[in-house]
Structures are given as C-alpha cells and as structure tokens.
Amino acid sequence: MVASQIRPADVTDRRLQDAMLAIPRERFLPRSMAGSAYADMEIDLGEGRRFMRPRDFAKLVQALGVKPGELVLDLACARGYSTAILSRLCETVIGIEANESFASKAEGALSDIGADNAVIVTADIKKGAPEQGPFDVILVNGAVELVPDAWLSQLAENGRLGVIVKENGVGRARVYTRRNGVVGSRVVFDSMTSLLPGFEREPEFLL
C-alpha cells in the first residue's frame, strides 16, 4: 500500500510512511473485510460509514503537518485506524465517534497495538470535544458539505483542521488554519471521498 499508493501520491513524510507501514490496517476492520484492507478504494463499514481511500487519508494527514508534542482531535474515527496512525505522530490523540459499536471496536484495537496515548470518546461528531481543546490538529474522516463552527472554534493558535469539503458535488481537501485569531483555508487536493451521514447542507427553498 505504501509503495504502490502512498509514495506515488507525493506523500513524502517518512514518519507518516513508517506509521502506515507499522499499523496493521486489517486489525481495524471486520474479519470479513480484511482482504480489502490495503486496496486502493474506500471500504464500506456499513451504516453509511467508510474508511477513506489510503491515498486521500495520507495526503490529508501530511497536509496537516502533525508534530510530536501536539494535541490532535480525530473526528469520525470509526473503528480507530486513523487514531492509531495519528498516535504515532503526536503527543496525544482523542478520537470522537458517535457509533457506540465502532467506538468499542476502536478501543479494543488501539489497546491491542499498545496505543496508550490515544483515547476514544463516544460523542456527537458535530460538537467535537470542546472540553478537551483547544487542539493543534483536527482531522475529519470523511467529507462534509458544511464545516461546523464548533470545529473551527476548537483550533488552537496556529492549529490546523483538515477535511474534505463537497461543493456542488466536487470534493476538495481543505486545511483551515487559525492565525492571530482568524481562520483561513486553502485547497490542497481534489478527492471523491464520500459524505459523512448528517453532514449534508440543509435544502434551500426558493420562492
């Protein structure tokens, strides 16, 4: 996966490459899906949730520039793979997952690999974890049509938030950065990542 998908996608961060080589991705999937763990595609976990395509996940994490000593919030962490990768890059990572079954599986898998700097919290993804922040990095595992203000408000100074934003059906990976109290954003690559359930724009009615 790293040799055929990650490196050719200009993911040059050696710490990230090493993390993706070290973490057994199949450990964070149902056994029936283990054969697809390293495929170049999204993996359907059920209930509208998916593992991001490895390439897109790696490019987004690289764009965030996660550093040792940083506090990271991992939103919609599902079964914990993203949390495991981030745990190799930062001081502490908090995974937020609304699905109790997924959260339980994530806790077990992270314990099995010894990720003792990672914590899983079952909570509303849209709200983030305001009581635990502010965060140096926030990663969103999936696409949204609208970025909640709650997420942006939880960024520390110089904090970065990475998320795929769908605009008119086109997905673009954006990194939002807080500097001097002001949040700006930039597009880093295009992505076909699927929408997270519940993160669609409300329909607008025209009179």
Side-chain angles (χ1 to χ4, degrees), residues 72-89:
V72 176
L73 181 65
D74 186 25
L75 294 171
C77 66
R79 297 171 67 103
Y81 174 73
S82 55
T83 312
I85 296 296
L86 292 166
S87 75
R88 295 292 184 104
L89 307 176

Side-chain angles (χ1 to χ4, degrees), residues 24-30 34 37-38 79 105 108-110 112-113:
R25 200 165 189 250
E26 68 277 8
R27 179 64 187 80
F28 297 85
L29 287 169
Y38 300 97
R79 297 171 67 103
K105 295 294 185 183
L110 289 166
D112 287 347
I113 66 166

Side-chain angles (χ1 to χ4, degrees), residues 24-39 41-46 49-52 54 78-81 102 105-106 109:
R25 200 165 189 250
E26 68 277 8
R27 179 64 187 80
F28 297 85
L29 287 169
R31 290 182 181 178
S32 61
M33 298 179 181
S36 301
Y38 300 97
M41 64 180 189
E42 290 187 318
I43 299 177
D44 190 347
L45 299 174
R49 300 291 297 281
R50 294 173 173 81
F51 263 23
M52 289 178 67
R79 297 171 67 103
Y81 174 73
F102 288 169
K105 295 294 185 183

Side-chain angles (χ1 to χ4, degrees), residues 100-173:
E100 292 185 1
S101 176
F102 288 169
S104 177
K105 295 294 185 183
E107 288 176 343
L110 289 166
S111 176
D112 287 347
I113 66 166
D116 55 8
N117 64 332
V119 177
I120 301 296
V121 177
T122 304
D124 186 343
I125 295 166
K126 289 183 179 179
K127 294 180 180 179
E131 68 283 357
Q132 305 292 337
F135 297 94
D136 300 300
V137 173
I138 300 176
L139 174 73
V140 184
N141 289 278
V144 303
E145 291 185 339
L146 189 65
V147 177
D149 290 338
W151 294 352
L152 300 175
S153 70
Q154 291 170 45
L155 284 175
E157 182 66 17
N158 296 315
R160 295 88 65 200
L161 182 149
V163 60
I164 311 298
V165 180
K166 293 269 191 179
E167 300 171 351
N168 299 317
V170 178
R172 293 186 173 90

Side-chain angles (χ1 to χ4, degrees), residues 54-73:
R55 165 199 176 273
D56 290 355
F57 170 75
K59 286 176 72 69
L60 188 56
V61 173
Q62 176 171 265
L64 289 169
V66 184
K67 302 178 183 66
E70 290 192 316
L71 176 61
V72 176
L73 181 65

